[in-house]
Amino acid sequence: MSGGAQDRREGAWPRTDRVEIGLGLQSDKRAGEYARLARLAEEHEIDVISVFSDLMFQPPIFALLEMAGATERVRLGAACWNPYSMHPYEIAGQVAALDLASHGRAYLGLARGTWLGSVGIEQPRALGYLREAVGYVADLLSGDVAGSEGTVFRRDAGVRFRFQVQRTRVPLLLGVWGPQASALAGELADEVKIGGSANPALIDVMRGRLAPGELRAGRAQGSTRVTLGAVTVVDEDGEKARAKARAEVAMYLAVVADLDPTVELRPGLLDEVQALVAVGDHAGAGALIPDDLLDLFAFSGSPEQVASQAQRLIDAGADRIDFGTPHGLQDDTGIELIGSRVVPLLDRRPRKPVDGAAAEPVAGSASS
């Protein structure tokens, strides 16, 4: 098993000495832009850069490989690939290629995926697909040649990579919300990401949902690291930033608000927001979102406002905060402000004990 102390010193595994700061990028940019933004992020000591794998945007591997060649320290990964539109053998090959290109800085992000029905892809048995995909990738990376016969995926004996991998195991992140998927993450994953949320109350909820899986796997409770990530718009003009964030959040509010058990909405609000989004009035839809609700689903405002929101997550026990696209009124200014103005205001000391078990990767093949 790889992933010991040497890997962590090199930054290949999640840091435990401080709460990590990440950036989430949309894959909608021209060649060369990713390298430039990644260098800017690394200059400001960002720990992780993730690329979304959203429907009909560029495949994330394009951006990730460009950033791998332009950086030296940040961890890199897709958040997230899904095992419905991409077979696990292809996911394994792409994460192995990213790990080679980055000299051991890749992580594997997997999730059920969203909106795939619009391209005719059904998503049955999400837990089974995720579990088997994790095992399939783990076995290919480790060089296992025994083959496997799952209920979803199979691999003949002797089938293995025909190239040398950088590491036989990379950190695993699962993007989940619900109790059953979260328990699976507690059993298998190094990290879990709650996407689309900046709500501190969800951290304790998630830790409770992870606990049965951690117990099932014989892992220490709290071993699975918790990341929250959401739309971020930071600007010196805080009101302009919050107006843009409202319009961004309106597009996915119905999805994430329905998943958050701690949120109570005014009756009829979601219907009103969705009706305006449906006719393209995102600004009008966003204007319906009150300040307190906006702060649960986006980081937005002046650098001081965004830092205050992030600090609440740190104080609630988050292990990583991902500031998601669009970052600011423009990408460059947003990333610059996050690095130079927001991050220095944060007390990033971990709020939960650093357990030895939490620092180590999950042992063994995930399919065993």
Side-chain angles (χ1 to χ4, degrees):
M1 178 183 69
S2 67
Q6 181 179 0
D7 285 330
R8 291 196 299 279
R9 282 199 304 270
E10 295 171 350
W13 292 91
R15 297 186 65 139
T16 56
D17 61 324
R18 70 184 189 193
V19 172
E20 289 188 316
I21 300 298
L23 294 180
L25 298 183
Q26 187 57 275
S27 55
D28 58 353
K29 308 181 197 321
R30 293 181 180 275
E33 282 295 288
Y34 300 106
R36 187 175 61 79
L37 293 174
R39 284 192 292 266
L40 178 62
E42 194 165 71
E43 287 170 8
H44 287 295
E45 299 191 357
I46 298 298
D47 299 295
V48 185
I49 304 177
S50 302
V51 178
F52 304 138
S53 184
D54 288 348
L55 189 68
M56 305 311 294
F57 285 87
Q58 298 164 4
I61 194 66
F62 168 63
L64 289 165
L65 289 176
E66 183 177 302
M67 292 192 294
T71 56
E72 297 180 353
R73 180 186 52 77
V74 292
R75 296 198 292 126
L76 297 165
C80 293
W81 281 303
N82 77 80
Y84 293 99
S85 62
M86 185 181 290
H87 194 281
Y89 97 84
E90 186 68 40
I91 294 173
Q94 292 199 17
V95 77
L98 176 60
D99 209 42
L100 281 165
S102 65
H103 305 289
R105 292 182 283 128
Y107 76 83
L108 169 63
L110 285 174
R112 176 180 180 270
T114 311
W115 302 306
L116 295 180
S118 63
V119 291
I121 298 177
E122 296 182 358
Q123 295 171 276
R125 307 195 308 277
L127 296 183
Y129 267 71
L130 283 174
R131 179 183 290 279
E132 289 193 23
V134 169
Y136 205 108
V137 174
D139 287 344
L140 280 174
L141 287 175
S142 70
D144 176 89
V145 294
S148 61
E149 188 71 44
T151 59
V152 181
F153 303 111
R154 60 175 292 274
R155 181 170 56 92
D156 290 346
V159 173
R160 63 191 302 274
F161 281 145
R162 300 188 181 198
F163 62 93
Q164 185 66 44
V165 301
Q166 179 78 23
R167 294 180 295 175
T168 57
R169 190 186 183 285
V170 300
L172 171 65
L173 176 146
L174 289 182
V176 297
W177 272 81
Q180 290 183 304
S182 299
L184 180 69
E187 181 182 345
L188 301 179
D190 300 286
E191 307 175 90
V192 62
K193 181 172 181 179
I194 310 172
S197 179
N199 182 3
L202 270 181
I203 295 174
D204 280 347
V205 172
M206 177 56 72
R207 293 210 184 278
R209 291 177 173 181
L210 292 166
E214 291 170 337
L215 179 63
R216 191 161 58 231
R219 304 176 65 197
Q221 188 168 344
S223 297
T224 315
R225 294 166 52 85
V226 175
T227 296
L228 283 85
V231 159
T232 303
V233 188
V234 57
D235 194 81
E236 297 290 3
D237 188 331
E239 286 307 308
K240 281 187 178 179
R242 289 179 71 78
K244 184 175 178 65
R246 279 188 168 86
E248 295 279 341
V249 168
M251 291 185 282
Y252 70 84
L253 180 64
V255 175
V256 293
D258 191 50
L259 293 169
D260 190 330
T262 73
V263 171
E264 293 186 13
L265 301 178
R266 171 176 64 78
L269 175 62
L270 288 184
D271 291 338
E272 295 168 23
V273 169
Q274 286 180 295
L276 290 172
V277 169
V279 297
D281 186 3
H282 294 165
L288 297 175
I289 301 173
D291 282 338
D292 57 347
L293 187 61
L294 177 65
D295 286 345
L296 298 180
F297 296 108
F299 302 100
S300 65
S302 67
E304 291 76 18
Q305 287 174 297
V306 171
S308 178
Q309 283 186 270
Q311 191 65 56
R312 287 195 290 271
L313 293 179
I314 293 172
D315 294 342
D319 296 290
R320 184 168 101 225
I321 298 167
D322 273 359
F323 294 115
T325 190
H327 305 116
L329 300 182
Q330 294 85 33
D331 270 323
D332 295 56
T333 56
I335 292 173
E336 174 73 32
L337 285 171
I338 289 168
S340 65
R341 296 283 304 283
V342 174
V343 174
L345 294 174
L346 302 177
D347 177 357
R348 296 167 62 187
R349 289 173 293 182
R351 296 303 193 264
K352 68 184 181 93
V354 179
D355 187 291
E360 292 292 337
V362 185
S365 168
S367 63
S368 60

